[in-house]
Each structure stands twice: as C-alpha cells, then as structure tokens.
Amino acid sequence: MTDTPVIRFVDRREAIADELAHVDEPVVGVDVERADSHRYFRKAALVQVGVPGTCVLVDGVEPDDLEPLGAFLAGRVSVFHAIENDLDPLASAAVRPDDVRDTAIAAALLGLPTGLGNLLSEVLGVELTADKDKLQRADWEARPLTDEMREYAAGDVVFLPRLWSELEAQLQAVGRLSWFEQELEATVSRAHEDNRDWERTKGAGRLTPEQRTYLRELWELREEIARETDTAPQRLLRDDILVAFAQDPPSASGEIVRRAGRRRARKHADQFMDAIRRARHLPPTARETNGRRWTDTDRDAYDAMRKARAGLAKEIGLESGVLCPSRPLWSAIVSDPSSPQELCAAAGLRPWQAELLADVLWEAYVKARGNGED
C-alpha cells in the first residue's frame, strides 16, 4: 500500500472518543471486519475509521458497545465500500451512521470495477499490496492484530473519502447522481431485512411437496438451534445435507451422524431425528404459485426482454445486472402487464430504471407475445 498511514488501535470504550479525534474530518471512510463466519448473529470484530494519512482501529471484541463511535459518526459523512455487509454488525454494536455513501454502488453505476483494489487502482492510481484472500479469512477476533492485519484494515478505509469525492464528481458529470441515491436507499433498506427462508435453500426447487415438508422442518429446527447457540447454520448441517435428508430421510439418529459427518450433528442428532418423524405426519408442502403455468410465449418474452435489456446496458456502459437483474423480469411477465408502467411496477424497477427501460422492455414484450402462441 502506498503512503502507509498512521494506525491507532483502541480497545477501551472510554478511550474511543479521544482516539477518533485524530480523524476529525467531515467525511471519513468506514469498514468492518466481521467475526461472524462461525456465528449466527453478525458481529463486528473490528471497525476501521480513516481519513487520508490516519486510521483508527476500534476493537469490537472487548467493549460491550461502540456507542462513542456512533456519536462520532453522527453528523459526518461515512463512506463505505459494499455497505450491505457492514450495517448489521455496526447496529449490533450500537452504531447507526445516518449519512452514508457507498463507493461500490457508485462504481457499478459508472461501469467501473466494483472490487475495491481494482477501483482504487483505476480511479486514484493507488495499489493495495496486502494479500486480500488470506486476510479475508483471518481471525479478526484474535489479539493482538498482526502488522499485516493492521495495514490491510487501514488500507480499506483511508482512501475512501478521496475515492468518493472522485466518484461523486463523475456521477454528477454524467447525470447519474440521482441513480446512485435511489440505489443507495434500496441497498440500505435491504441490508436490514431478514432474508433467511427455507425455500431459498439451494436444491429446494427440485423437491417434491412431500420432500419440501421434510426440508422445512429440518431447516426450521436448524435455525432454532443456530440462534440459541449463536452458531452459523451451515456449521450445524450444510444445506446440501438438509436437501439430501429431505430426499432420503434417515431412519435413526445414528444414520444422521454417519451421513452428516460432523461432530455437531452428533450433539443434535436426536432433535433432527424428531423433526424427521414429525415431518412424516404433516401434509405435503406445495410450492406457492399464482396458478399459472409458464408457456413458450412467456419464455420467448422473457428472452426478448433480457436481450433488449442487455443491448441497452451495453449502450450506456453498465453491466446488465446493474441496469436490471433478470429475476424481476419473470415477475413482470407473470403479472400480464397491459402497459409499460404496469410492467415496470410489477418488476419493482426504481424510477431511474423505469425511465430507461419502460419503452425498451415493453416493445420486446409486446413483440414476443405477438409473435408467439400460448
């Protein structure tokens, strides 16, 4: 990393405010190193706050909460990179920044690299030299932090204020600042949503209604145990094992242990066996639908809309998924829209997306349905 900053570490709640005085600027970079790879609840192991030349590393392990950090960020602009990963861990430590920016969102809307290292290199000419893959897997709860960990943590924030300044200017220059504001608001809202759902389990879509009942009962029990023990669900039983059990339910606790191959499975094997026995006597769980089967015309419309979206995305220099993900297009088709406005509403497009895509998608949709036969 060029221009190594001064790095300060603070692990006493009463000293946080004094240390943060060294980064007393109106715009600061913020990042979180989490300690949740093995936990159910997302916890901040370390919070970095930086400005050019200086970084304060706030310990998230020792203090009961980081409220002084929250007080410091109030009234300042906090610049993150990929903010959706950091808001929940911060909230769990009583930190809720109220004026935020996200350089990853800005980069995506400018057609720039969204990885921080590549983005810093392209926009600022800054090269981060830390071994990112290695340090992302590091134990951020371990103390003391190594020099390598300290430098990596600081490198994630000290350039963010300057990076945001450059990206904001580019957004304004191409008339996309309002796009950014809409995407930021949506991202912050999503960051606080609980998206855990048994039907999102990979492989659930290929299960029969009877097998879905087994999966639901096993998944819900795993969630209950994970919450009570603050253990990452996958460390109890992996998703693929849950699906395998749903397809071919074990007949005894010992079989659960043998097939799962995990020590934690042994501890909770009897509970999982009870869930399997319970599922045997429950009604099948059918997949929710709107009562409509997909037709060849629907698929033609979907393909045509995706192609039209890709063409426009290329024209304006965005990734197709940034302009509009594919999944909402399915929702739009199922709604049988009668106008461009209805199509955009059914797809949940934000105003900036609808302005660009309404006519493009509608033309593709109408043409495909006009040429196809149900």
Side-chain angles (χ1 to χ4, degrees), residues 29-44:
V30 182
D31 188 38
V32 177
E33 302 301 339
R34 301 195 307 274
D36 57 8
S37 63
H38 61 292
R39 298 179 184 274
Y40 183 87
F41 299 102
R42 308 186 79 183
K43 176 179 171 60

Side-chain angles (χ1 to χ4, degrees), residues 107-333:
L109 292 173
L110 290 166
L112 296 171
T114 54
L116 182 57
N118 290 336
L119 183 60
L120 285 171
S121 177
E122 181 162 332
V123 177
L124 300 183
V126 169
E127 302 294 336
L128 299 180
T129 57
D131 186 340
K132 182 175 181 177
D133 289 340
K134 169 188 172 184
L135 290 165
Q136 283 184 328
R137 297 190 302 269
D139 180 3
W140 287 96
E141 288 185 287
R143 298 293 182 266
L145 297 172
T146 66
D147 289 343
E148 186 180 23
M149 293 169 76
R150 289 163 59 96
E151 291 177 11
Y152 168 81
D156 273 357
V157 294
V158 293
F159 300 107
L160 289 181
R162 183 178 158 208
L163 178 61
W164 165 246
S165 179
E166 293 289 333
L167 295 177
E168 182 183 29
Q170 291 188 36
L171 288 168
Q172 288 177 325
V174 296
R176 297 182 182 181
L177 189 58
S178 67
W179 300 8
F180 169 81
E181 292 166 350
Q182 293 170 44
E183 288 301 308
L184 178 64
E185 181 180 0
T187 300
V188 170
S189 296
R190 286 197 306 269
H192 294 299
E193 294 176 356
D194 182 1
N195 293 316
R196 298 180 192 266
D197 186 339
W198 70 272
E199 292 190 282
R200 291 175 176 263
T201 306
K202 185 177 180 180
R206 63 175 182 265
L207 299 180
T208 67
E210 290 78 9
Q211 292 169 343
R212 284 166 58 83
T213 298
Y214 282 103
L215 177 62
R216 185 194 64 214
E217 294 300 306
L218 289 165
W219 187 94
E220 289 181 350
L221 173 61
R222 187 184 66 173
E223 283 290 294
E224 180 182 339
I225 296 171
R227 282 193 301 268
E228 290 176 351
T229 62
D230 193 16
T231 303
Q234 299 281 357
R235 292 173 69 90
L236 294 171
L237 282 180
R238 297 194 314 270
D239 283 352
D240 62 314
I241 293 175
L242 292 186
V243 172
F245 284 177
Q247 293 171 317
D248 181 17
S251 58
S253 299
E255 185 181 351
I256 288 178
V257 175
R258 177 177 59 79
R259 290 170 60 181
R262 285 178 175 268
R263 287 181 297 174
R264 289 185 179 84
R266 185 184 306 277
K267 182 177 181 181
H268 302 289
D270 290 343
Q271 291 172 270
F272 284 112
M273 193 62 231
D274 287 342
I276 289 171
R277 293 190 185 101
R278 187 166 57 248
R280 288 177 186 154
H281 303 288
L282 294 174
T285 307
R287 185 179 294 106
E288 291 187 12
T289 68
N290 69 338
R292 163 174 165 176
R293 298 182 62 182
W294 280 86
T295 66
D296 289 341
T297 303
D298 291 331
R299 295 183 180 89
D300 288 344
Y302 176 68
D303 290 340
M305 290 165 67
R306 290 179 70 238
K307 184 176 180 180
R309 175 206 58 179
L312 178 59
K314 183 177 181 180
E315 182 181 327
I316 63 177
L318 293 183
E319 293 291 330
S320 293
V322 173
L323 178 58
C324 172
S326 295
R327 185 182 295 272
L329 300 181
W330 286 102
S331 300
I333 291 171

